[in-house]
């Protein structure tokens, strides 16, 4: 999300093109909202945070609570403890598995390992 909204990020164009080429839906797991919000506000300012929240409010991005994903999140955190995958990444993966399997990320270290199982695909393509 950070590279997508930060026009100065070296990966901005690549991430933006991948998102525009994908039919959606564009889900933001609710479990990541605090982390994304913190980074946007801290590094890019309140106006960028507000634009991100406006995208959610307008339906361009959809919050996905994923209460039913908790068992899979726990499984992922335990299975990939050696990465360590962590809660936020596990929430993203569980949500993606349930809703089409696509993850917009530049983090190939964690997501690339999980993508090797074949249940998710990474955008932009590595």
């Amino acid at each position: 999300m950070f590279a997508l909204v930060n026009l100065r990020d070296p990966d901005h164009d690549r991430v933006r093109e991948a998102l525009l080429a994908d039919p959606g839906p564009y889900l933001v797991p609710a479990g990541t909202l605090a982390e994304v919000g913190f980074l946007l506000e801290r590094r890019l300012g309140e106006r960028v945070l507000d634009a991100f929240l406006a995208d959610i409010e307008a339906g361009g991005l959809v919050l996905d609570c994923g209460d039913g994903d908790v068992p899979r999140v726990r499984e992922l955190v335990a299975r990939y403890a050696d990465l360590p995958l962590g809660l936020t990444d596990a929430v993203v993966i569980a949500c993606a598995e349930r809703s089409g399997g696509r993850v917009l990320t530049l983090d190939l270290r964690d997501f690339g390992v999980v993508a090797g199982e074949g249940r998710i695909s990474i955008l932009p393509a590595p």
Side-chain angles (χ1 to χ4, degrees):
M1 294 304 299
F2 188 79
L4 182 63
V5 298
N6 183 1
L7 300 175
R8 290 178 272 176
D9 190 288
D11 291 305
H12 171 78
D13 290 336
R14 193 171 76 122
V15 170
R16 183 178 176 275
E17 289 171 16
L19 187 73
L20 291 174
D22 188 81
Y26 308 116
L27 304 177
V28 177
T32 68
L33 191 59
E35 184 174 319
V36 170
F38 174 79
L39 285 173
L40 293 178
E41 184 175 19
R42 177 98 171 184
R43 295 185 183 174
L44 300 176
E46 289 180 22
R47 278 190 269 176
V48 173
L49 173 62
D50 185 59
F52 170 72
L53 294 172
D55 279 345
I56 293 171
E57 184 177 18
L61 300 171
V62 178
L63 280 181
D64 187 308
C65 294
D67 297 350
D69 294 330
V70 173
R72 178 64 174 151
V73 168
R74 291 182 67 211
E75 178 185 336
L76 288 164
V77 169
R79 180 173 181 179
Y80 293 105
D82 60 322
L83 286 179
L85 187 65
L87 178 62
T88 300
D89 291 350
V91 166
V92 169
I93 291 165
C95 180
E97 288 176 344
R98 181 176 38 77
S99 58
R102 296 173 318 276
V103 175
L104 183 66
T105 185
L106 298 170
D107 180 0
L108 299 180
R109 183 185 61 125
D110 292 350
F111 289 97
V113 171
V114 178
E117 290 184 2
R119 296 179 75 176
I120 64 169
S121 58
I122 296 174
L123 301 173

